[in-house]
Coordinates of all heavy atoms in Angstrom, one line a residue:
Chain A
L129 N 100.2 115.4 75.7 CA 101.4 116.0 76.1 C 102.6 115.5 75.3 O 103.5 116.2 74.8 CB 101.7 115.6 77.6 CG 103.0 116.2 78.2 CD1 103.0 117.7 78.2 CD2 103.2 115.6 79.6
R132 N 102.8 117.3 72.1 CA 103.3 118.7 72.2 C 104.8 118.8 72.5 O 105.5 119.6 71.9 CB 102.5 119.4 73.4 CG 101.0 119.5 73.2 CD 100.3 119.7 74.4 NE 100.5 121.1 75.0 CZ 100.1 121.5 76.2 NH1 99.5 120.7 77.0 NH2 100.4 122.7 76.6
L148 N 109.3 120.1 78.0 CA 108.3 119.8 79.0 C 108.2 121.0 80.0 O 107.1 121.4 80.4 CB 108.6 118.5 79.7 CG 107.6 118.0 80.8 CD1 106.3 117.7 80.1 CD2 108.2 116.8 81.5
I151 N 106.3 123.8 78.4 CA 104.9 123.5 78.3 C 104.3 123.8 79.7 O 103.2 124.5 79.8 CB 104.6 122.1 77.9 CG1 105.0 121.9 76.4 CG2 103.2 121.7 78.1 CD1 104.9 120.5 75.8
K152 N 104.9 123.3 80.7 CA 104.4 123.5 82.1 C 104.3 125.0 82.4 O 103.3 125.5 82.9 CB 105.3 122.9 83.1 CG 105.1 121.4 83.2 CD 105.9 120.9 84.4 CE 105.7 119.4 84.7 NZ 106.5 118.9 85.8
E153 N 105.3 125.7 82.0 CA 105.4 127.2 82.3 C 104.3 127.9 81.6 O 103.5 128.7 82.1 CB 106.8 127.7 81.9 CG 107.0 129.1 82.2 CD 108.3 129.7 81.6 OE1 109.3 129.0 81.6 OE2 108.2 130.8 81.0
D155 N 101.5 126.6 80.3 CA 100.2 126.2 80.8 C 99.8 126.9 82.1 O 98.7 127.3 82.2 CB 100.1 124.7 81.1 CG 100.0 123.9 79.8 OD1 99.9 124.5 78.7 OD2 100.0 122.6 79.8
L156 N 100.8 127.1 82.9 CA 100.6 127.8 84.1 C 100.2 129.3 83.9 O 99.3 129.9 84.4 CB 101.8 127.7 85.1 CG 101.6 128.4 86.4 CD1 100.5 127.9 87.2 CD2 102.9 128.3 87.2
E159 N 96.8 129.5 82.7 CA 95.8 129.2 83.8 C 95.7 130.5 84.6 O 94.6 130.9 84.9 CB 96.3 128.1 84.6 CG 95.3 127.5 85.5 CD 95.8 126.1 86.1 OE1 96.4 125.4 85.3 OE2 95.5 125.9 87.2
I160 N 96.8 131.1 84.9 CA 96.8 132.4 85.7 C 96.0 133.5 84.9 O 95.2 134.2 85.5 CB 98.2 132.8 86.0 CG1 98.9 131.9 87.0 CG2 98.2 134.3 86.6 CD1 100.4 132.0 87.2
Y163 N 92.3 132.8 85.0 CA 91.7 133.0 86.3 C 91.7 134.4 86.7 O 90.8 134.9 87.4 CB 92.4 132.1 87.4 CG 91.8 130.7 87.5 CD1 92.6 129.6 87.0 CD2 90.6 130.5 87.9 CE1 92.0 128.3 87.1 CE2 90.0 129.2 88.0 CZ 90.7 128.2 87.6 OH 90.2 126.9 87.6
D169 N 87.9 128.4 84.1 CA 88.8 127.3 83.6 C 88.6 127.1 82.1 O 87.5 126.7 81.7 CB 88.5 126.1 84.4 CG 89.5 124.9 84.1 OD1 90.3 125.2 83.2 OD2 89.4 123.9 84.7
K171 N 89.5 124.8 80.4 CA 89.5 123.4 79.9 C 88.0 122.9 79.9 O 87.7 121.9 79.4 CB 90.2 122.6 80.9 CG 91.7 122.8 80.8 CD 92.5 121.8 81.7 CE 93.7 122.4 82.3 NZ 93.6 123.1 83.5
E226 N 66.0 117.1 98.7 CA 67.2 117.8 99.2 C 68.4 117.0 98.9 O 69.5 117.5 98.5 CB 67.1 117.9 100.8 CG 66.1 118.9 101.2 CD 66.5 120.4 100.9 OE1 67.6 120.6 100.5 OE2 65.6 121.3 101.0
F227 N 68.3 115.7 98.9 CA 69.4 114.8 98.6 C 69.8 115.0 97.1 O 71.0 115.1 96.7 CB 69.1 113.4 98.8 CG 70.2 112.4 98.7 CD1 71.1 112.3 99.8 CD2 70.4 111.7 97.6 CE1 72.2 111.5 99.7 CE2 71.5 110.8 97.5 CZ 72.4 110.7 98.5
K229 N 69.3 117.7 95.4 CA 70.0 119.0 95.3 C 71.5 118.9 95.7 O 72.3 119.6 95.1 CB 69.3 120.0 96.2 CG 68.0 120.6 95.6 CD 67.5 121.7 96.6 CE 66.0 122.0 96.4 NZ 65.5 122.8 97.4
I230 N 71.7 118.2 96.7 CA 73.1 118.0 97.2 C 74.0 117.4 96.0 O 75.1 117.8 95.7 CB 73.2 117.2 98.5 CG1 72.5 117.9 99.6 CG2 74.7 116.9 98.8 CD1 72.4 117.1 100.9
L231 N 73.4 116.3 95.5 CA 74.1 115.6 94.4 C 74.4 116.6 93.2 O 75.5 116.6 92.7 CB 73.4 114.4 93.9 CG 73.2 113.2 94.9 CD1 72.4 112.1 94.3 CD2 74.6 112.6 95.3
S232 N 73.3 117.3 92.9 CA 73.5 118.2 91.7 C 74.5 119.3 92.0 O 75.3 119.7 91.2 CB 72.1 118.9 91.4 OG 71.2 118.0 91.1
F233 N 74.5 119.8 93.3 CA 75.5 120.8 93.7 C 76.9 120.3 93.5 O 77.8 121.0 93.0 CB 75.3 121.1 95.2 CG 76.3 122.1 95.7 CD1 76.1 123.5 95.6 CD2 77.5 121.7 96.4 CE1 77.0 124.4 96.1 CE2 78.4 122.6 96.8 CZ 78.1 124.0 96.7
Y234 N 77.2 119.0 93.8 CA 78.5 118.5 93.6 C 78.7 117.9 92.2 O 79.7 117.1 92.0 CB 78.8 117.4 94.7 CG 79.1 118.1 96.0 CD1 78.1 118.1 97.0 CD2 80.3 118.7 96.3 CE1 78.3 118.8 98.2 CE2 80.5 119.4 97.5 CZ 79.5 119.4 98.5 OH 79.7 120.0 99.6
Q235 N 77.8 118.2 91.3 CA 77.9 117.8 89.9 C 78.0 116.3 89.7 O 78.8 115.8 88.9 CB 79.1 118.5 89.3 CG 79.0 120.0 89.3 CD 80.1 120.8 88.6 OE1 81.0 120.2 88.0 NE2 80.2 122.1 88.8
I236 N 77.2 115.6 90.5 CA 77.1 114.2 90.4 C 75.8 113.8 89.7 O 74.7 114.2 90.2 CB 77.2 113.5 91.8 CG1 78.7 113.7 92.3 CG2 76.9 112.1 91.8 CD1 78.9 113.4 93.7
L265 N 73.3 106.6 90.6 CA 74.4 107.5 90.2 C 75.2 106.8 89.1 O 76.0 105.9 89.3 CB 75.4 107.8 91.4 CG 74.7 108.1 92.7 CD1 75.7 108.6 93.7 CD2 73.7 109.3 92.6
F268 N 79.0 106.3 89.0 CA 79.6 105.4 90.0 C 78.9 104.0 90.0 O 79.2 103.2 90.9 CB 79.5 106.1 91.4 CG 80.2 107.4 91.4 CD1 79.5 108.5 91.2 CD2 81.5 107.5 91.7 CE1 80.1 109.8 91.2 CE2 82.2 108.7 91.7 CZ 81.4 109.9 91.4
L270 N 76.1 103.1 91.1 CA 75.7 103.0 92.5 C 74.2 103.3 92.7 O 73.8 104.4 92.2 CB 76.6 103.8 93.3 CG 76.2 103.9 94.8 CD1 76.6 102.6 95.5 CD2 77.0 105.1 95.5
I272 N 71.2 104.2 95.5 CA 71.1 104.7 96.9 C 69.6 104.6 97.3 O 68.7 105.1 96.6 CB 71.7 106.1 97.0 CG1 73.2 106.0 96.8 CG2 71.3 106.7 98.4 CD1 73.9 107.4 96.9
K302 N 73.6 101.3 98.4 CA 73.8 101.9 99.8 C 72.5 102.3 100.4 O 71.7 102.9 99.7 CB 74.8 103.0 99.7 CG 76.2 102.6 99.5 CD 77.2 103.7 99.7 CE 78.6 103.2 99.5 NZ 79.6 104.1 100.0
F304 N 70.9 104.6 103.4 CA 71.0 105.6 104.5 C 69.7 105.7 105.2 O 68.7 106.0 104.5 CB 71.4 106.9 104.0 CG 72.8 106.9 103.4 CD1 73.0 106.7 102.1 CD2 73.9 107.1 104.2 CE1 74.3 106.7 101.5 CE2 75.2 107.1 103.7 CZ 75.4 106.9 102.4
E308 N 71.2 108.2 111.0 CA 72.3 108.3 110.2 C 72.0 109.3 109.0 O 72.8 110.1 108.7 CB 72.9 107.0 109.7 CG 73.8 106.2 110.6 CD 73.1 105.9 111.9 OE1 71.9 105.4 111.8 OE2 73.7 106.1 113.0
K311 N 71.6 112.7 110.2 CA 73.0 113.3 110.4 C 73.6 113.8 109.1 O 74.2 114.8 109.0 CB 73.9 112.3 111.1 CG 73.8 112.2 112.6 CD 74.9 111.3 113.1 CE 74.6 110.9 114.5 NZ 75.5 109.8 114.9
L312 N 73.4 112.9 108.1 CA 74.0 113.2 106.8 C 73.4 114.5 106.3 O 74.1 115.4 105.8 CB 73.7 112.1 105.8 CG 74.2 112.2 104.4 CD1 75.7 112.0 104.4 CD2 73.5 111.2 103.5
K315 N 74.6 117.6 108.2 CA 75.9 118.1 107.8 C 75.8 119.2 106.7 O 76.6 120.1 106.7 CB 76.7 116.9 107.2 CG 78.0 117.2 106.6 CD 78.7 116.0 105.9 CE 79.6 116.4 104.9 NZ 80.9 117.0 105.3
Y316 N 74.8 119.1 105.9 CA 74.6 120.1 104.9 C 73.6 121.2 105.3 O 73.0 121.9 104.4 CB 74.2 119.5 103.5 CG 75.3 118.6 103.0 CD1 75.2 117.2 103.1 CD2 76.5 119.1 102.5 CE1 76.2 116.4 102.6 CE2 77.5 118.3 102.1 CZ 77.4 116.9 102.1 OH 78.4 116.1 101.7
I318 N 70.6 120.8 106.5 CA 69.2 120.4 106.3 C 68.6 119.7 107.5 O 69.1 118.7 107.9 CB 69.1 119.5 105.0 CG1 69.7 120.2 103.8 CG2 67.6 119.1 104.7 CD1 70.1 119.3 102.7
R319 N 67.5 120.3 108.0 CA 66.9 119.6 109.2 C 65.5 119.2 108.8 O 64.7 120.0 108.4 CB 66.8 120.6 110.4 CG 68.2 121.1 110.7 CD 68.4 121.3 112.1 NE 69.9 121.6 112.3 CZ 70.8 120.7 112.7 NH1 70.4 119.4 112.9 NH2 72.0 121.0 112.8
Chain B
M282 N 70.6 124.4 117.9 CA 71.3 123.3 118.5 C 72.1 123.7 119.7 O 73.0 124.5 119.6 CB 72.3 122.7 117.4 CG 73.0 121.4 117.8 SD 73.9 120.8 116.3 CE 74.8 119.5 117.1
L348 N 83.7 125.8 97.8 CA 82.4 126.1 98.3 C 81.7 124.8 98.7 O 81.6 123.9 97.9 CB 81.6 126.9 97.3 CG 80.2 127.3 97.7 CD1 80.3 128.5 98.7 CD2 79.4 127.7 96.5
S349 N 81.2 124.7 99.9 CA 80.5 123.5 100.3 C 79.0 123.8 100.3 O 78.5 124.9 100.6 CB 81.0 122.9 101.6 OG 80.8 123.8 102.6
Y350 N 78.2 122.7 100.1 CA 76.7 122.8 100.1 C 76.3 123.3 101.5 O 76.7 122.9 102.5 CB 76.1 121.5 99.8 CG 74.6 121.6 99.6 CD1 74.1 121.8 98.3 CD2 73.7 121.4 100.6 CE1 72.8 121.9 98.1 CE2 72.3 121.5 100.4 CZ 71.9 121.7 99.1 OH 70.5 121.8 98.9
G351 N 75.4 124.3 101.5 CA 74.8 124.8 102.7 C 75.7 125.8 103.4 O 75.3 126.3 104.5
Q357 N 72.1 127.9 96.1 CA 73.2 127.0 96.2 C 74.0 126.9 94.9 O 75.2 126.8 94.9 CB 72.7 125.6 96.6 CG 72.2 125.5 98.0 CD 73.2 125.9 99.1 OE1 74.4 125.9 98.8 NE2 72.7 126.1 100.3
G358 N 73.3 126.8 93.7 CA 74.1 126.7 92.5 C 74.9 125.4 92.4 O 74.4 124.4 92.8
V359 N 76.1 125.5 92.0 CA 77.0 124.3 92.0 C 78.3 124.6 92.7 O 78.7 125.7 92.9 CB 77.3 123.8 90.5 CG1 76.1 123.3 89.9 CG2 77.9 125.0 89.7
V360 N 78.9 123.5 93.1 CA 80.2 123.6 93.8 C 81.2 124.4 92.9 O 81.2 124.3 91.7 CB 80.7 122.2 94.1 CG1 81.0 121.4 92.8 CG2 82.0 122.2 94.9
D365 N 91.9 128.8 94.3 CA 92.5 127.7 93.6 C 94.0 127.6 94.0 O 94.6 128.5 94.7 CB 92.4 128.0 92.1 CG 92.5 126.7 91.3 OD1 92.8 125.6 91.9 OD2 92.2 126.7 90.1
D367 N 98.0 127.8 93.7 CA 98.9 128.8 93.1 C 99.9 128.1 92.1 O 100.5 128.7 91.3 CB 99.7 129.5 94.2 CG 98.8 130.3 95.1 OD1 97.8 130.8 94.6 OD2 99.1 130.4 96.3
V368 N 100.1 126.8 92.3 CA 101.1 126.1 91.5 C 100.3 125.2 90.5 O 99.2 124.8 90.6 CB 102.0 125.1 92.3 CG1 102.9 126.0 93.3 CG2 101.2 124.1 93.1
N369 N 101.1 124.9 89.4 CA 100.5 124.0 88.4 C 100.9 122.6 88.8 O 102.0 122.3 89.0 CB 101.2 124.4 87.0 CG 100.7 123.6 85.9 OD1 99.8 122.8 86.0 ND2 101.1 124.0 84.7
Y371 N 100.4 119.9 86.9 CA 100.6 119.1 85.7 C 101.9 118.3 85.8 O 103.0 118.8 86.1 CB 100.7 120.1 84.5 CG 100.8 119.4 83.2 CD1 99.7 119.1 82.5 CD2 102.0 119.0 82.6 CE1 99.7 118.5 81.3 CE2 102.1 118.4 81.4 CZ 100.9 118.1 80.7 OH 101.0 117.5 79.5
G372 N 101.8 117.0 85.7 CA 102.9 116.1 85.7 C 103.5 115.9 87.1 O 104.6 115.2 87.2
S373 N 102.9 116.4 88.1 CA 103.5 116.3 89.5 C 102.8 115.2 90.3 O 101.7 114.8 90.0 CB 103.3 117.7 90.2 OG 103.9 118.7 89.5
D383 N 84.1 112.1 104.7 CA 82.9 111.4 105.1 C 82.1 111.0 103.9 O 82.2 109.9 103.4 CB 82.1 112.1 106.2 CG 81.9 113.6 105.9 OD1 82.1 114.0 104.7 OD2 81.5 114.3 106.8
T384 N 81.3 111.9 103.4 CA 80.4 111.5 102.2 C 81.3 111.3 101.0 O 80.8 110.5 100.1 CB 79.4 112.6 101.9 OG1 80.1 113.8 101.6 CG2 78.5 112.9 103.1
L386 N 81.7 113.5 98.8 CA 81.2 114.3 97.7 C 82.2 115.4 97.3 O 82.5 115.6 96.1 CB 79.9 115.0 98.1 CG 78.7 114.0 98.2 CD1 77.5 114.6 98.9 CD2 78.3 113.4 96.9
T387 N 82.7 116.2 98.3 CA 83.6 117.3 98.0 C 84.9 116.7 97.4 O 85.4 117.2 96.4 CB 84.1 118.0 99.3 OG1 82.9 118.4 100.0 CG2 84.9 119.2 99.0
S389 N 85.3 113.9 95.7 CA 85.1 113.4 94.4 C 85.1 114.5 93.4 O 85.6 114.4 92.3 CB 83.8 112.5 94.3 OG 82.7 113.4 94.0
Y390 N 84.6 115.7 93.8 CA 84.7 116.8 92.9 C 86.1 117.3 92.7 O 86.6 117.5 91.6 CB 83.8 118.0 93.4 CG 84.1 119.3 92.8 CD1 83.7 119.6 91.5 CD2 84.9 120.3 93.4 CE1 84.0 120.8 90.9 CE2 85.2 121.5 92.8 CZ 84.8 121.7 91.5 OH 85.1 122.9 90.9
R393 N 88.1 114.9 90.5 CA 87.7 115.1 89.1 C 88.4 116.3 88.5 O 89.0 116.3 87.4 CB 86.2 115.2 88.9 CG 85.5 113.9 88.7 CD 84.0 114.1 88.6 NE 83.4 114.4 89.9 CZ 82.4 115.2 90.1 NH1 81.8 115.8 89.1 NH2 81.9 115.3 91.3
A397 N 91.8 116.3 85.8 CA 91.8 117.1 84.5 C 93.0 117.9 84.3 O 93.4 118.2 83.2 CB 90.6 118.0 84.4
R398 N 93.8 118.1 85.4 CA 95.0 118.9 85.3 C 96.2 118.0 85.0 O 97.3 118.4 85.0 CB 95.2 119.7 86.5 CG 94.1 120.6 86.9 CD 94.3 121.5 88.1 NE 93.1 122.1 88.6 CZ 93.1 123.1 89.5 NH1 94.2 123.6 89.9 NH2 92.0 123.6 89.9
G413 N 81.3 105.3 107.4 CA 79.9 105.0 107.6 C 79.0 106.0 106.9 O 77.8 105.8 106.6
R414 N 79.5 107.2 106.6 CA 78.7 108.2 106.0 C 79.0 108.4 104.5 O 78.6 109.3 103.8 CB 79.0 109.6 106.7 CG 77.9 110.5 106.8 CD 78.2 111.8 107.4 NE 78.3 111.6 108.9 CZ 78.7 112.6 109.7 NH1 79.0 113.8 109.2 NH2 78.7 112.5 111.0
R415 N 79.8 107.4 103.9 CA 80.3 107.6 102.6 C 79.2 107.4 101.5 O 78.4 106.4 101.6 CB 81.4 106.5 102.3 CG 82.2 106.8 101.1 CD 83.3 107.7 101.3 NE 84.5 107.1 101.8 CZ 85.0 107.3 102.9 NH1 84.5 108.2 103.7 NH2 86.1 106.7 103.3
I416 N 79.1 108.3 100.6 CA 78.2 108.1 99.5 C 79.0 107.7 98.3 O 78.8 106.7 97.6 CB 77.4 109.4 99.2 CG1 76.5 109.8 100.4 CG2 76.6 109.3 97.9 CD1 75.9 111.2 100.3
I417 N 80.0 108.5 98.0 CA 80.9 108.2 96.9 C 82.2 107.6 97.4 O 82.9 108.2 98.2 CB 81.3 109.5 96.1 CG1 80.0 110.2 95.6 CG2 82.2 109.2 94.9 CD1 79.1 109.4 94.7
E418 N 82.6 106.4 96.9 CA 83.8 105.8 97.4 C 85.0 106.5 96.9 O 85.1 106.8 95.7 CB 83.8 104.3 96.9 CG 82.9 103.4 97.7 CD 83.0 103.5 99.2 OE1 84.1 103.7 99.7 OE2 81.9 103.4 99.9
D430 N 80.0 106.9 112.6 CA 79.3 108.0 112.1 C 78.9 109.0 113.2 O 77.8 108.9 113.8 CB 78.0 107.5 111.4 CG 77.3 108.6 110.7 OD1 77.8 109.8 110.7 OD2 76.2 108.4 110.1
S431 N 79.9 109.9 113.6 CA 79.5 110.9 114.6 C 80.1 112.2 114.1 O 81.1 112.3 113.3 CB 80.1 110.5 115.9 OG 81.2 109.8 115.8
Y432 N 79.5 113.3 114.6 CA 80.0 114.6 114.3 C 81.2 115.0 115.3 O 81.0 114.9 116.5 CB 78.9 115.6 114.5 CG 79.1 116.9 113.7 CD1 78.4 117.1 112.5 CD2 80.0 117.8 114.1 CE1 78.6 118.2 111.7 CE2 80.2 119.0 113.3 CZ 79.6 119.1 112.1 OH 79.8 120.2 111.3
Y440 N 82.5 123.3 114.3 CA 81.1 123.4 114.2 C 80.7 124.9 114.2 O 81.0 125.6 115.1 CB 80.4 122.7 115.4 CG 78.9 122.9 115.4 CD1 78.1 122.3 114.4 CD2 78.3 123.8 116.3 CE1 76.7 122.5 114.4 CE2 76.9 124.0 116.2 CZ 76.1 123.4 115.3 OH 74.8 123.6 115.2

Side-chain angles (χ1 to χ4, degrees):
Chain A
L129 182 63
R132 297 165 68 191
L148 184 63
I151 289 172
K152 281 185 175 182
E153 185 190 317
D155 282 357
L156 180 61
E159 201 165 317
I160 292 169
Y163 274 110
D169 184 357
K171 294 187 208 84
E226 288 293 348
F227 190 79
K229 279 186 197 166
I230 295 170
L231 293 177
S232 299
F233 178 85
Y234 286 102
Q235 299 181 9
I236 289 168
L265 315 186
F268 302 93
L270 173 71
I272 292 179
K302 284 192 178 193
F304 292 95
E308 275 63 43
K311 274 189 198 168
L312 181 72
K315 174 185 154 74
Y316 296 106
I318 302 160
R319 307 216 170 262
Chain B
M282 187 175 172
L348 181 73
S349 59
Y350 189 89
Q357 295 295 347
V359 290
V360 61
D365 204 351
D367 295 326
V368 296
N369 186 354
Y371 186 90
S373 302
D383 49 13
T384 61
L386 290 172
T387 308
S389 83
Y390 165 75
R393 274 178 282 147
R398 306 183 195 197
R414 214 181 280 175
R415 194 85 85 243
I416 298 171
I417 305 298
E418 287 308 325
D430 186 3
S431 32
Y432 203 103
Y440 172 71

